[in-house]
Amino acid sequence: MPAGRITALIAEDEPLLRRQLKARLAQAWPELVVVAEAENGAEAVALAAEFKPDIAFLDIRMPVRDGLAVAEAIADACHIVFVTAYDEYAVTAFEQGAVDYLLKPVTAERIAKVVLRLQSRVASPPADLASVLQQLAARDTGGPLRWIKASLGNSMRLIPVDEVCYFQAEDKYTKVVTASGEALIRTTIRELFDDLDPEVFWQVHRSTIVNLRSIARVERDYRDQPLVFLKDRPEPLTVSRTFAHLFKTM
């Protein structure tokens, strides 16, 4: 085990469950120091960068960025323990032998087993979770699409759907546009739209789907057609006549 104290980050959006997990950890591993607690995924990434914990306990279902997205961001810097009520995640991850997990509700017996495994692993470098995260993302098929597997140069990237500003058809591909960049996928706009959450993503053109949460404002051009302006992108999006009725009250 490394010299000095072992530190941990807890990321869980439910305060009661967060307190429960912290209390269980204190009982099972008194020497472990919880240095930070996060209420959502974005906060978890920021706190991990600030405090550099040895271990991160990540709830898979979190707002802003979920546990899989957080793990992708920080897994090379600390050991990951997924906390989940969904057994399909746990089985897949644990069978890989690269990641630990806790099933909710977090009982003393369950956390004792995880603590023993962590104590034997924490002195070693964190495992490479890339393949595990891909499998977990692929298995998450309940409800609307939550992850995009996109090409970025010669590599493949997992993009949380919540981070996408808009999708736009481009030749034989669909461009996935986020605040920080672009990537390409082979899925068509029509196929994408069927899998996206209709309360969050609207088709505004035969070639364009926009994330409503990314919209800053909607203006009218000289033809009285809506133009969508985004919070984190400079380019406006054209709304075709077919979809103009969606913005009548905007």
Side-chain angles (χ1 to χ4, degrees):
M1 194 172 294
R5 66 179 189 170
I6 306 299
T7 60
L9 160 73
I10 295 176
E12 163 65 66
D13 61 310
E14 292 291 339
L16 181 63
L17 296 179
R18 196 166 61 246
R19 288 196 298 269
Q20 181 192 57
L21 175 55
K22 187 176 181 180
R24 295 287 192 197
L25 282 170
Q27 293 170 354
W29 195 353
E31 298 80 14
L32 182 69
V33 180
V34 177
V35 291
E37 299 177 38
E39 297 181 354
N40 61 61
E43 188 179 7
V45 173
L47 290 172
E50 179 180 356
F51 289 96
K52 297 177 173 52
D54 300 298
I55 304 164
F57 293 86
L58 306 177
D59 182 22
I60 285 185
R61 302 288 193 187
M62 282 190 294
V64 188
R65 297 179 74 174
D66 67 14
L68 300 183
V70 175
E72 185 182 27
I74 70 173
D76 60 339
C78 65
H79 295 268
I80 300 296
V81 181
F82 285 126
V83 185
T84 177
Y86 301 89
D87 190 55
E88 68 269 21
Y89 289 110
V91 170
T92 303
F94 187 60
E95 284 178 350
Q96 298 295 318
V99 64
D100 281 297
Y101 69 94
L102 277 167
L103 287 179
K104 297 178 183 178
V106 177
T107 64
E109 181 182 7
R110 286 172 176 169
I111 208 160
K113 292 179 180 178
V114 169
V115 164
L116 285 175
R117 290 197 296 267
L118 286 170
Q119 288 174 337
S120 68
R121 297 180 184 189
V122 73
S124 304
D128 183 356
L129 299 186
S131 62
V132 177
L133 292 173
Q134 288 180 32
Q135 291 187 46
L136 290 171
R139 285 198 172 211
D140 185 21
T141 57
L145 185 67
R146 296 175 56 246
W147 288 81
I148 299 292
K149 296 178 182 179
S151 298
L152 195 64
N154 294 323
S155 62
M156 194 277 289
R157 179 186 170 198
L158 287 172
I159 303 174
V161 167
D162 288 345
E163 294 184 8
V164 177
C165 298
Y166 66 93
F167 299 94
Q168 195 161 66
E170 189 172 276
D171 297 325
K172 297 179 181 180
Y173 298 89
T174 294
K175 185 166 59 175
V176 182
V177 182
T178 66
S180 58
E182 302 175 1
L184 295 174
I185 59 175
R186 291 185 178 272
T187 310
T188 66
I189 287 289
R190 178 177 294 182
E191 292 169 334
L192 263 177
F193 187 69
D194 289 340
D195 291 335
L196 292 167
D197 186 344
E199 294 185 4
V200 179
F201 288 89
W202 283 4
Q203 186 165 4
V204 297
H205 191 280
R206 67 179 181 179
S207 64
T208 310
I209 298 171
V210 66
N211 184 340
L212 297 182
R213 294 168 179 159
S214 296
I215 296 177
R217 67 186 190 279
V218 179
E219 297 182 0
R220 301 266 171 182
D221 65 13
Y222 69 94
R223 300 166 300 171
D224 199 36
Q225 289 296 109
L227 278 178
V228 173
F229 291 84
L230 304 173
K231 297 174 184 176
D232 299 311
R233 298 289 304 188
E235 65 275 13
L237 301 178
T238 301
V239 179
S240 70
R241 293 187 182 276
T242 304
F243 301 100
H245 67 278
L246 296 172
F247 298 93
K248 277 187 176 180
T249 59
M250 293 186 177

